[in-house]
Amino acid sequence: MSETWIIIGGWLAAGLTIFLFSFLYKDNPFFKIAEHLYLGAGMGWLFQVSVTNVWIPKIWEPVSKGELLVIIPSIMGLSLLTQFIPKISWISRYGFTFMMGYGSGLAIPAGLSTDFMSQIEGTIKPFSLLASMSPFAIFNSALIAFGAICVLFYFFFSVEHKGHLKKVSNVGIYFLMIYFGAAFGNTVMARFSLLYGRFDDLYTFSGAKYLYATQFILTGMVIYFLVYALFAGRSKNAIKA
Amino acid sequence: MKLIKKQIPLAIVFITGVFTLVSYYVPNKTSIDYIETMNKWQNIVVAFAFLLGLVSLFFSHYHKIARKADGWGYSIFVFVGFLTIVISAYVSGGRQMTDAGLTPLGWSFKYIYNALSGTMFAVLAFYIVSTAYRSFRIKSLQAFVLFVAAFILILGKVPLGQIIWDLALGWTGAGVDQVIEWIMQVPAVAGKRGIMIGISIGAIVTSLKIIFGIEKQYMGKD
Amino acid sequence: MLKEQLQKFSRIDRRWIFLLLAITLLVPIIKPIGLPNKTIAEATSRVYGNIEKLPAGSFVLFSLDYDPSTRPELHPMATALVRHAFSRNLRVGVVTYIAGSTGLIEELFARVSKEYNKSDGKDYVILPYMPNILAVMTQMSSDLYGIYTKDRNGIDVRGMPVMKGVKNYKDMSLIVCVTGTAILDYWVAFVGDKYSVPVAGGVTAISQPGYGPYLQTNQLKGLIGGMKGAAEYESLIKQPGKGTSGIDALNLAHLLVLALILTSNIILLIIKYL
């Protein structure tokens, strides 16, 4: 890639980034263009990756070598598209049921072992090691067990929550709140990190190497909004007059 | 007709489901041969699933353009974006990088897709801040507990927050990082584990219902 | 009067808040504060320890499943992990189940392989994107070549020196999944637990708290969480990168959000009791 292409790329990336951010001030045509480009480019990326990584090596090449068996799953895959034609949409069931059966068959043993048995084991196991644990570790293990049981009671809908059951499930809510609080705190950090990433890129494109792309485009957007506000104000006055 | 429309698909889900489940617990040559064929086939079937999204995106924007609906001009850019990536992939032979550096495909990723996809999600940071200001209301004890956990995490994850903690609460002897570790390793584990066990029971039951043809909403109406 | 003013203030145009956040985040990027991360979480050290203890030449599988939408958090993390693996002379295999990650993987390896003088096919291999993660995971338990016959550039993988003696999970020393999706859960449930392969992960800060139970049971051998985790790992391998500078930039923004929550609640209290 030549230097020129890198500069063009910088201007394009800075432009698209600022166009998308401009929505925060006000909806505008530049944002809409970038938004629609995103939809198309995202789909285009998925399409090209699927074609080059799966369709060509896994379907086209084997078929051209005479391995015709791969045609069966390909037809099942294509059958999904009959969803869009109501009259024959039932054909898509062949593809869906084939995927669902396999997925469910795998999910049952994995779910049972990983998220059910192992979690119960993980809650109980520390109590077999009490002798080697510090009092604080014993307290923590007991708290995990107590908390997990309370939360489970909270999710236990088969019986009406009243009396002792209500008290236990209420305690469960507090454990959930701590978990959600931790999740919220972390979400703040995650979102800021993403914004940092874009700002960092914009800062890079503001350099002389990219011919100050960020500054120029940002100024352009500000001028656009000013001019737009001016014209909008005038047309309002004209209507009033 | 009912046989082709309904019973055979239900038989497919039952047979593939049961065979796959059995192959997990009975590892012998037949079951391994079965699961290997299934793996290869399933990988191919799923490679077509995204076409559902593609076709519906194209349909809706094509119709907008054809009917000259409000804002139809923007719909053109969906196709512009798609073609930009696909053509650059074709020109580059699907490769993003060669010894000479970025190919046109690699270039479109770096400067177009990366900027668009990254910014789309980065915008959410602004909304979480304004929501925190406008809607984070500590009106009950439960909300207060949630707030305290969130407060400690937001504060303690950055060095400046750690300094503030040490200035205000350093006398307790507990660093904010230790408190965060405890929250993440004890009460948060209890909360999440309860959810996890609950969901796993639900998922297992749903999977069984699918295999036995009790749950068939995904098949659509007759 | 004061009540009205406070009410007005609590309903301030949110664009002012947007602007405040933009400034708080942009200023430290232009002029770093100089307060990098200092603490290291236990879960992060566990990932480091698990890579550190592997003998040179061990095969580590990286499942890099993140696209540009989570790049700022996960790319520095993946970069630090690959740097660590290369510095330990481990053999690296890369798989992905997210189409958008292919470009980031290319960029990462083009850059890091040069730093350690590692070559494609000999020291590392980048396998192509595959759409059905469960099918591939299950297949790799018996014979990975049943799915992966070629690398992402169409070169036969069987003859590559990096793949010598590697056929299924038994030949892999560690699996590290970096993702902003549930793919790490799949690695734990469908591979780690079933085939007894050590699985470690790197995730976004959002999903980090959800992995506590797996860490406690040791189903997950370690976890790097978010930008802070990336900064922690960078300091463990003593190579500061985007994670370290990122944490520095986030300092003020974190305090801003706390200040905003407190301000709005204090205003509400005053309005209520005034």
Side-chain angles (χ1 to χ4, degrees):
Chain A
M1 278 279 142
S2 68
E3 206 53 30
T4 323
W5 277 104
I6 293 174
I7 295 170
I8 295 173
W11 275 74
L12 196 58
L16 294 172
T17 306
I18 292 170
F19 291 168
L20 285 179
F21 277 141
S22 68
F23 179 76
L24 293 163
Y25 178 70
K26 210 178 203 173
D27 197 2
N28 64 79
F30 296 101
F31 164 75
K32 284 216 176 83
I33 289 173
E35 184 197 21
H36 283 76
L37 271 177
Y38 167 64
L39 291 174
M43 200 45 91
W45 192 264
L46 190 52
F47 180 78
Q48 72 87 10
V49 170
S50 298
V51 171
T52 51
N53 289 351
V54 193
W55 291 6
I56 293 176
K58 296 278 168 211
I59 303 166
W60 178 251
E61 285 176 5
V63 169
S64 49
K65 274 188 226 153
E67 295 168 30
L68 299 179
L69 266 182
V70 292
I71 292 177
I72 302 172
S74 307
I75 291 171
M76 284 208 188
L78 282 171
S79 83
L80 301 176
L81 289 177
T82 60
Q83 276 273 307
F84 294 107
I85 311 160
K87 266 194 177 168
I88 52 161
S89 69
W90 58 269
I91 298 177
S92 69
R93 290 175 184 174
Y94 282 77
F96 279 120
T97 49
F98 188 60
M99 290 195 291
M100 295 296 264
Y102 174 79
S104 305
L106 285 176
I108 293 170
L112 195 64
S113 136
T114 304
D115 289 350
F116 189 73
M117 303 293 275
S118 297
Q119 298 314 314
I120 293 171
E121 189 196 331
T123 312
I124 299 168
K125 206 178 168 188
F127 296 104
S128 64
L129 309 162
L130 287 181
S132 59
M133 282 160 73
S134 68
F136 189 55
I138 294 171
F139 167 75
N140 285 342
S141 302
L143 199 60
I144 291 178
F146 174 69
I149 290 166
C150 291
V151 173
L152 274 175
F153 269 110
Y154 175 70
F155 285 119
F156 190 58
F157 298 121
S158 309
V159 184
E160 199 188 337
H161 285 197
K162 56 183 178 189
H164 291 301
L165 188 61
K166 190 169 186 214
K167 278 181 198 156
V168 175
S169 78
N170 270 346
V171 176
I173 296 177
Y174 286 96
F175 281 92
L176 285 174
M177 286 299 150
I178 296 177
Y179 170 65
F180 292 140
F184 177 79
N186 266 16
T187 304
V188 167
M189 168 161 244
R191 296 286 177 238
F192 285 177
S193 305
L194 303 188
L195 189 57
Y196 159 77
R198 294 319 302 147
F199 279 6
D200 192 43
D201 274 7
L202 281 180
Y203 182 58
T204 309
F205 299 137
S206 72
K209 188 187 164 192
Y210 291 94
L211 304 180
Y212 311 103
T214 305
Q215 291 91 320
F216 276 112
I217 295 165
L218 204 57
T219 315
M221 273 321 276
V222 172
I223 293 172
Y224 163 78
F225 279 122
L226 284 175
V227 171
Y228 181 84
L230 199 72
F231 275 93
R234 267 195 195 169
S235 58
K236 251 186 202 170
N237 287 339
I239 291 166
K240 268 184 196 168
Chain B
M1 208 53 187
K2 200 180 170 194
L3 180 79
I4 304 174
K5 276 189 177 178
K6 206 165 178 184
Q7 283 158 349
I8 296 180
L10 284 176
I12 293 177
V13 80
F14 178 75
I15 294 167
T16 49
V18 170
F19 278 25
T20 308
L21 183 58
V22 169
S23 78
Y24 185 96
Y25 293 107
V26 191
N28 63 19
K29 196 179 172 306
T30 318
S31 82
I32 289 174
D33 285 348
Y34 159 78
I35 202 79
E36 287 207 353
T37 309
M38 281 300 270
N39 295 336
K40 287 169 202 163
W41 284 19
Q42 291 288 344
N43 196 35
I44 292 170
V45 178
V46 174
F48 289 92
F50 81 94
L51 286 178
L52 291 172
L54 186 142
V55 171
S56 81
L57 181 78
F58 280 10
F59 260 174
S60 73
H61 286 280
Y62 171 76
H63 280 307
K64 261 191 173 178
I65 296 169
R67 283 187 287 113
K68 296 242 159 55
D70 246 7
W72 64 274
Y74 298 120
S75 293
I76 296 172
F77 287 94
V78 171
F79 296 96
V80 171
F82 181 81
L83 289 174
T84 308
I85 300 288
V86 173
I87 291 170
S88 59
Y90 181 73
V91 173
S92 319
R95 292 183 69 150
Q96 299 178 38
M97 192 87 74
T98 58
D99 294 335
L102 282 179
T103 63
L105 181 64
W107 184 89
S108 347
F109 181 87
K110 188 172 177 184
Y111 296 110
I112 301 176
Y113 183 55
N114 182 45
L116 288 168
S117 172
T119 315
M120 267 295 182
F121 289 85
V123 168
L124 297 174
F126 290 100
Y127 293 109
I128 203 170
V129 174
S130 80
T131 311
Y133 180 70
R134 293 174 153 210
S135 319
F136 202 126
R137 299 281 175 260
I138 309 162
K139 282 185 173 167
S140 64
L141 188 59
Q142 289 165 1
F144 180 72
V145 171
L146 188 141
F147 167 73
V148 171
F151 188 94
I152 294 173
L153 263 99
I154 297 172
L155 188 75
K157 287 260 173 170
V158 289
L160 195 55
Q162 290 163 3
I163 293 171
I164 293 172
W165 175 282
D166 287 342
L167 285 175
L169 293 162
W171 53 269
T172 56
V176 68
D177 55 315
Q178 291 163 304
V179 179
I180 289 178
E181 290 263 313
W182 183 80
I183 291 176
M184 301 286 260
Q185 288 176 4
V186 183
V189 167
K192 175 67 188 184
R193 184 164 280 162
I195 298 174
M196 216 176 215
I197 294 174
I199 289 179
S200 76
I201 297 170
I204 292 165
V205 172
T206 310
S207 298
L208 283 171
K209 277 180 164 176
I210 288 173
I211 291 177
F212 289 103
I214 301 164
E215 162 66 58
K216 46 189 181 229
Q217 263 187 341
Y218 66 93
M219 284 174 54
K221 283 185 191 137
D222 234 332
Chain C
M1 188 66 188
L2 176 69
K3 201 172 171 178
E4 276 165 18
Q5 270 181 338
L6 283 174
Q7 264 167 348
K8 210 173 156 191
F9 190 67
S10 72
R11 284 196 300 264
I12 189 175
D13 187 340
R14 64 179 179 188
R15 287 179 293 190
W16 289 111
I17 301 173
F18 293 167
L19 185 67
L20 199 60
L21 174 66
I23 294 168
T24 329
L25 206 53
L26 201 57
V27 170
I29 293 176
I30 298 166
K31 198 169 168 37
I33 305 174
L35 279 176
N37 179 59
K38 280 202 190 80
T39 57
I40 289 167
E42 189 203 326
T44 311
S45 310
R46 278 166 70 184
V47 180
Y48 178 82
N50 271 298
I51 294 186
E52 194 68 14
K53 73 178 183 201
L54 295 177
S58 306
F59 188 91
V60 179
L61 188 72
F62 281 93
S63 180
L64 303 180
D65 308 296
Y66 58 93
D67 67 0
S69 64
T70 46
R71 173 199 173 126
E73 284 187 279
L74 301 176
H75 207 47
M77 204 182 273
T79 308
L81 282 162
V82 173
R83 278 186 173 140
H84 191 197
F86 278 162
S87 72
R88 301 280 309 156
N89 287 320
L90 304 175
R91 286 184 289 161
V92 172
V94 182
V95 290
T96 184
Y97 306 98
I98 299 282
S101 66
T102 52
L104 296 170
I105 293 171
E106 268 321 314
E107 188 274 327
L108 195 166
F109 278 85
R111 188 162 40 91
V112 179
S113 65
K114 272 186 212 140
E115 292 171 14
Y116 294 88
N117 206 13
K118 300 284 179 186
S119 54
D120 195 353
K122 186 171 152 276
D123 306 296
Y124 68 93
V125 58
I126 301 174
L127 297 164
Y129 157 83
M130 284 295 150
N132 192 337
I133 182 165
L134 289 185
V136 181
M137 282 177 175
T138 314
Q139 179 61 31
M140 283 202 288
S141 67
S142 52
D143 177 16
L144 72 91
Y145 302 107
I147 293 265
Y148 291 118
T149 45
K150 290 172 177 170
D151 80 349
R152 88 292 195 196
N153 289 331
I155 300 164
D156 212 334
V157 287
R158 267 178 234 261
M160 288 183 177
V162 62
M163 297 303 286
K164 202 178 165 199
V166 179
K167 192 185 172 200
N168 54 41
Y169 295 128
K170 284 191 199 109
D171 312 309
M172 299 177 191
S173 306
L174 180 69
I175 292 167
V176 186
C177 172
V178 180
T179 186
T181 66
I183 290 178
L184 178 59
D185 300 56
Y186 291 165
W187 280 110
V188 172
F190 293 96
V191 180
D193 279 6
K194 190 177 178 198
Y195 304 106
S196 311
V197 199
V199 175
V203 294
T204 55
I206 295 181
S207 39
Q208 188 190 6
Y211 290 100
Y214 290 156
L215 284 167
Q216 191 248 351
T217 50
N218 213 24
Q219 288 168 288
L220 201 53
K221 307 293 173 204
L223 186 77
I224 311 172
M227 184 75 93
K228 180 166 191 309
E232 288 169 349
Y233 212 85
E234 284 171 359
S235 58
L236 281 169
I237 62 164
K238 297 186 182 64
Q239 291 207 45
K242 285 281 174 202
T244 307
S245 51
I247 281 291
D248 189 57
L250 295 190
N251 270 311
L252 293 178
H254 269 227
L255 295 189
L256 171 74
V257 83
L258 289 181
L260 286 173
I261 297 175
L262 286 174
T263 313
S264 67
N265 279 286
I266 291 168
I267 289 176
L268 273 185
L269 272 180
I270 297 173
I271 291 173
K272 198 174 167 188
Y273 293 105
L274 208 67

